[in-house]
Amino acid sequence: MSDDMQFTSADPCGRTDRESLEDLPKAEFMMPGPERDRLVGLILNGTKTATAAMLLDYEDCGEPLPQVGDRSVLVDSDDHGVAVLTTTDVTVVRLADVTDQHAIDEGEGDTTAAQWRRTHEAFWDSPDYRAEFSDPHFPLDDDTLVVLERFAVTERL
């Protein structure tokens, strides 16, 4: 990113003087390609305001859970920053407890938690996804913990 993409001390979010976008982590949805670009479009037009990941994703990678106020740069398939996202809510729930509202807020066409679950389980059960884990034989059932994150586009780049 260019040096001219910086925040000033007048920023109401309290960012430090000349904090560069390069200092923010990337927000990457799916693998680069048509599906990522579709999701980026849904985020930019306000349809997609939530996402989900298995808690195991964070644990296996040793990454901290997102926290309210976290900021990241949404990138497209060409790895170009297109927006700054700010986390507005994080909840860890059992897979069985994901709500219809969360399914709708993910903005990907599921209108019920049951539809959302079928879509996500198909992805989470795929051999390519499971191969990314130290133990690809993890259980996926009602008690699987899921991290539900809500976010807002706070700046377009």
Side-chain angles (χ1 to χ4, degrees):
M1 286 178 212
S2 68
D3 289 349
D4 61 323
M5 284 197 255
Q6 297 179 343
F7 302 108
T8 67
S9 58
D11 187 330
C13 296
R15 298 179 192 108
T16 60
D17 211 6
R18 301 191 51 85
E19 180 182 18
S20 171
L21 293 177
E22 292 175 350
D23 295 335
L24 297 178
K26 290 180 185 178
E28 300 174 290
F29 287 78
M30 301 296 283
M31 301 301 285
E35 185 62 11
R36 175 179 289 179
D37 292 333
R38 182 180 78 83
L39 296 178
V40 166
L42 292 171
I43 292 167
L44 292 176
N45 74 21
T47 301
K48 181 172 180 62
T49 60
T51 192
M54 289 191 307
L55 180 60
L56 181 61
D57 281 329
Y58 294 95
E59 294 173 342
D60 203 61
C61 295
E63 293 183 18
L65 293 181
Q67 296 185 15
V68 172
D70 283 354
R71 296 181 5 255
S72 57
V73 175
L74 177 64
V75 296
D76 62 16
S77 288
D78 294 322
D79 205 36
H80 294 133
V82 296
V84 174
L85 302 181
T86 301
T87 300
T88 59
D89 187 59
V90 179
T91 309
V92 178
V93 300
R94 293 171 55 242
L95 184 57
D97 296 330
V98 173
T99 65
D100 290 348
Q101 188 60 57
H102 183 82
I104 293 165
D105 292 346
E106 280 208 17
E108 298 177 41
D110 296 323
T111 57
T112 68
Q115 289 174 323
W116 177 93
R117 183 169 175 168
R118 281 191 299 276
T119 302
H120 283 72
E121 283 186 351
F123 175 71
W124 291 334
D125 266 337
S126 69
D128 288 342
Y129 180 78
R130 285 183 172 265
E132 299 294 320
F133 290 89
S134 56
D135 177 9
H137 304 291
F138 58 82
L140 186 57
D141 56 32
D142 283 351
D143 293 325
T144 299
L145 294 178
V146 181
V147 179
L148 306 180
E149 181 179 0
R150 295 184 182 284
F151 53 82
V153 173
T154 52
E155 183 175 347
R156 286 178 169 253
L157 306 177

